[in-house]
């Protein structure tokens, strides 16, 4: 029987700055600073800073732009909470996940009242009632640790990657059962669902590939080379391109979703930059990536450089760098 987890009512201060947020902003999770910054997409100016739990790893923003969720993975001690940020008032609250530790990937279900959350510590996919602040169900994912999660368009199916197993799983959220699990590639990590076709795209970091899967069976339809540790995958708003950040190569693969070919490769490392030590050595280490829905821009979190690389999608070149807190990773857009 799943134990309901009571919402912690402790409210952290918003640490708001004086100027109001711009119409379109970027949220950046700073993993080593335990903060989320809100940056204007006009010039990268910081408007607000929010305190989170330890090791903020992923961010999801509600489509109505009223709130954001941040998974607190933890650091030396495993985390077991989500920070909910009210984007109107700037106030935050903590959702306690109880025995389910190391929360990571998240997605909001239709209606925005519930979220799915992977927890590496308990190897579960949680269904969390965000408004009530409690875990409603914990779905067993079997062997291997669920890492990232994506949803089918109607929200009835979740797709979960497991880095250690190199697989992607299909989970029926209605019956709360794992229906399929197939090999994607060594180090399967990033996952996204194409907005039009429903195909499931997975970035396999050790294999150096992006695989495209049938959403019903998870059979591999295409395998695309993306060398250099592809760690995340996302889509442009129109679905024309898939974006894979290659952490070791410090590049962005821009993949045409029709031809399934790499159309552009964008260099994300600067020869004059001072990068710090990361899990891949002293390197730029791009991780999080997101496309701006209103501007011809893509943003990549340069984790080893404490900055955001701003990419112009009309020419697929880096045109600016914005300062962040320590070790940026997760990204979200507030419209």
């Amino acid at each position: 029987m799943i134990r309901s987890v009571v919402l912690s009512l402790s409210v952290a201060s918003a640490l708001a700055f004086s100027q109001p947020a711009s119409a379109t902003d970027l949220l950046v999770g700073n993993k080593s600073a335990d903060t989320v910054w809100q940056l204007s997409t006009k010039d990268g100016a910081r408007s607000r800073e929010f305190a989170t739990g330890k090791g903020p790893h992923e961010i999801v923003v509600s489509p109505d732009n009223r709130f954001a969720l941040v998974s607190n993975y933890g650091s030396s001690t495993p985390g077991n909470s989500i920070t909910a940020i009210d984007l109107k008032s700037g106030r935050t609250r903590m959702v306690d996940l109880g025995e389910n530790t190391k929360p990571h990937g998240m997605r909001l279900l239709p209606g925005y009242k519930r979220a799915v959350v992977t927890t590496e510590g308990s190897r579960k996919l949680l269904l969390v009632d965000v408004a009530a602040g409690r875990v409603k169900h914990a779905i067993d994912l079997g062997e291997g640790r669920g890492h990232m999660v994506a949803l089918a368009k109607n929200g009835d199916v979740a797709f979960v990657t497991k880095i250690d197993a190199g697989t992607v799983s299909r989970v029926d959220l209605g019956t709360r059962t794992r229906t399929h699990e197939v090999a994607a590639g060594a180090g399967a990590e990033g996952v996204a669902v194409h907005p039009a076709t429903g195909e499931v795209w997975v970035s396999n970091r050790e294999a150096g590939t992006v695989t495209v899967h049938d959403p019903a069976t998870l059979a591999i339809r295409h395998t695309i080379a993306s060398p250099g540790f592809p760690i995340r995958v996302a889509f442009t708003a129109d679905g024309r391109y898939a974006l894979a950040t290659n952490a070791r190569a410090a590049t962005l693969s821009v993949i045409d979703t029709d031809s399934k070919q790499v159309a552009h490769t964008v260099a994300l490392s600067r020869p004059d930059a001072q990068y710090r030590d990361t899990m891949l050595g002293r390197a730029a280490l791009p991780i999080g990536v997101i496309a701006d829905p209103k501007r011809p821009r893509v943003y990549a979190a340069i984790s080893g450089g404490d900055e955001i690389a701003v990419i112009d999608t009309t020419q697929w070149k880096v045109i600016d760098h914005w300062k962040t807190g320590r070790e940026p990773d997760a990204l979200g857009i507030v419209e």
Side-chain angles (χ1 to χ4, degrees):
M1 180 177 182
I2 303 302
R3 180 173 63 88
S4 295
V5 181
V6 179
L7 170 67
S8 169
L9 296 178
S10 61
V11 179
S13 63
L15 303 177
F17 288 74
S18 58
Q19 69 268 33
S22 61
T24 303
D25 284 352
L26 180 70
L27 296 183
V28 182
N30 303 302
K31 285 199 299 191
S32 292
D34 305 328
T35 61
V36 167
W37 284 12
Q38 188 164 343
L39 306 180
S40 167
T41 57
K42 293 179 181 178
D43 55 11
R46 177 173 48 151
S47 60
R48 295 195 287 187
E49 179 180 90
F50 306 94
T52 67
K54 290 288 185 182
H57 269 51
E58 294 301 320
I59 297 172
V60 62
V61 178
S62 64
D64 60 5
N65 298 293
R66 295 190 62 84
F67 68 91
L69 303 178
V70 184
S71 55
N72 301 315
Y73 188 85
S75 53
S76 56
T77 301
N80 68 334
S81 68
I82 294 169
T83 299
I85 302 172
D86 186 317
L87 294 170
K88 304 301 180 181
S89 69
R91 289 179 292 187
T92 64
R93 60 185 173 90
M94 303 296 284
V95 178
D96 188 339
L97 302 179
E99 63 189 9
N100 300 291
T101 59
K102 297 185 177 180
H104 199 280
M106 298 182 297
R107 286 291 186 270
L108 280 163
L109 292 168
Y112 327 143
K113 294 181 179 180
R114 297 182 302 152
V116 289
V117 183
T118 61
T119 52
E120 290 188 5
S122 61
R123 303 190 178 199
K124 298 289 196 298
L125 179 67
L126 306 183
L127 282 168
V128 177
D129 185 325
V130 176
R134 65 189 182 96
V135 176
K136 295 199 69 174
H137 302 285
I139 302 169
D140 188 1
L141 292 174
E143 292 298 315
R145 297 187 300 275
H147 190 70
M148 299 292 284
V149 61
L151 288 174
K153 189 174 183 179
N154 61 6
D156 61 346
V157 172
F159 303 98
V160 179
T161 52
K162 298 177 180 178
I163 298 174
D164 52 353
T167 63
V168 59
S169 297
R170 182 184 185 276
V171 179
D172 185 313
L173 297 177
T175 61
R176 299 192 293 277
T177 56
R178 179 171 51 108
T179 63
H180 299 73
E181 182 168 340
V182 304
E189 181 162 355
V191 61
V193 173
H194 190 278
T197 67
E199 291 175 322
V200 181
W201 289 57
V202 177
S203 58
N204 308 296
R205 64 190 207 184
E206 273 88 17
T209 62
V210 173
T211 46
V212 183
H213 300 254
D214 181 281
T217 66
L218 297 184
I220 295 176
R221 292 176 172 175
H222 305 277
T223 299
I224 304 154
S226 186
F229 212 79
I231 199 166
R232 291 288 185 273
V233 62
F235 293 104
T236 52
D238 59 5
R240 180 180 178 185
Y241 296 110
L243 311 166
T245 45
N246 303 307
R248 182 173 285 116
T251 60
L252 178 72
S253 293
V254 182
I255 304 167
D256 186 299
T257 56
D258 287 333
S259 69
K260 307 298 190 294
Q261 300 290 323
V262 175
H264 308 277
T265 300
V266 183
L268 298 176
S269 181
R270 293 189 286 162
D272 57 341
Q274 296 295 313
Y275 298 119
R276 55 178 176 74
D277 289 332
T278 70
M279 67 178 185
L280 295 178
R282 190 173 294 271
L285 191 70
I287 301 182
V289 62
I290 197 166
D292 193 314
K294 294 182 177 179
R295 298 165 180 255
R297 299 284 187 272
V298 164
Y299 310 106
I302 309 302
S303 192
D306 299 338
E307 63 186 13
I308 297 296
V310 182
I311 300 157
D312 181 347
T313 63
T314 64
Q315 53 185 334
W316 291 107
K317 290 184 179 179
V318 176
I319 58 170
D320 206 352
H321 293 86
W322 298 337
K323 177 179 172 52
T324 68
R326 187 75 164 177
E327 200 179 356
D329 185 341
L331 301 176
I333 291 284
V334 181
E335 297 184 56

